[in-house]
Amino acid sequence: MRIHIATDHAGLEFSRTLVDHLTNGGHEVVDHGPAEYDALDDYPAFCINAALGVARDQAAGVRALGVVFGGSGNGEQIAANKVRGIRAALVWSMDTAMLAREHNDANVISIGARQHTVQEAIRYIDAFIAEPFSGDERHVRRIAQLAEYETTGDIAGKGVDVSPGSADGGVSTGSTSGL
């Protein structure tokens, strides 16, 4: 499987260990950066590029997942989720790693490099990669609703407030800033 990874300065050393671990496990790793330590680096482009790699590969029929990480993993998850077709989950335990795949068919996970040991994070990543999506109807239905909203700005018949001045600030529907 192809695994796209990205980080910020907080996870740089971890990313090097992860590349070795995943490669030794038979995966093809695409590292989207950064390439060197910079305490002032900006993670969004790295994480968005990893998510774009996953989305493009999956659209082309290539088996691919992504792992992004930083100090807490929060910002990195948010960045990855800006890419159309990405379902990035913040993982902090074995359960959240496995449920991200089993219930949500997450295709990217985010981990806080300052929140976990390298060994813990690798266990979460391995569990995420190994866990299949259940395919249960309720999960398929919910994922389809998320994709519908991502594409149209609405979920038909579900009461999403798409009126001007709603929680989206009246932003036009369907906009994902070209991602």
Side-chain angles (χ1 to χ4, degrees):
M1 179 177 301
R2 187 173 296 157
I3 310 293
H4 293 268
I5 67 169
T7 187
D8 71 355
H9 59 277
L12 185 59
E13 286 306 314
F14 173 70
S15 72
R16 293 178 178 144
T17 302
L18 182 59
V19 168
D20 290 342
H21 173 77
L22 292 171
T23 301
N24 290 336
H27 299 288
E28 176 188 352
V29 179
V30 180
D31 188 345
H32 294 272
E36 59 188 41
Y37 183 83
D38 177 357
L40 299 177
D41 67 7
D42 294 320
Y43 63 83
F46 302 132
C47 295
I48 288 169
N49 284 336
L52 284 168
V54 171
R56 287 179 187 135
D57 279 350
Q58 289 184 339
V62 176
R63 288 183 59 226
L65 293 171
V67 179
V68 296
F69 40 95
S72 70
N74 285 310
E76 294 75 19
Q77 177 204 22
I78 292 167
N81 273 320
K82 297 299 180 186
V83 175
R84 186 178 299 214
I86 294 300
R87 290 173 306 282
L90 181 64
V91 167
W92 68 90
S93 68
M94 288 296 287
D95 284 342
T96 58
M98 294 186 309
L99 289 171
R101 290 284 302 139
E102 183 184 348
H103 288 188
N104 306 112
D105 199 18
N107 46 15
V108 174
I109 59 171
S110 185
I111 298 175
R114 292 182 178 147
Q115 314 304 312
H116 305 283
T117 66
V118 171
Q119 294 77 21
E120 287 173 328
I122 285 175
R123 282 191 9 249
Y124 303 158
I125 292 164
D126 287 346
F128 170 74
I129 291 169
E131 188 69 30
F133 174 54
S134 71
D136 289 353
E137 187 278 330
R138 66 188 171 128
H139 301 307
V140 171
R141 181 180 69 245
R142 293 166 185 163
I143 292 165
Q145 289 173 12
L146 293 170
E148 180 183 357
Y149 182 81
E150 183 177 57
T151 305
T152 69
D154 193 12
I155 303 173
K158 294 295 181 180
V160 174
D161 183 0
V162 295
S163 63
S166 64
D168 70 356
V171 174
S172 64
T173 60
S175 174
T176 58
S177 302
L179 298 177

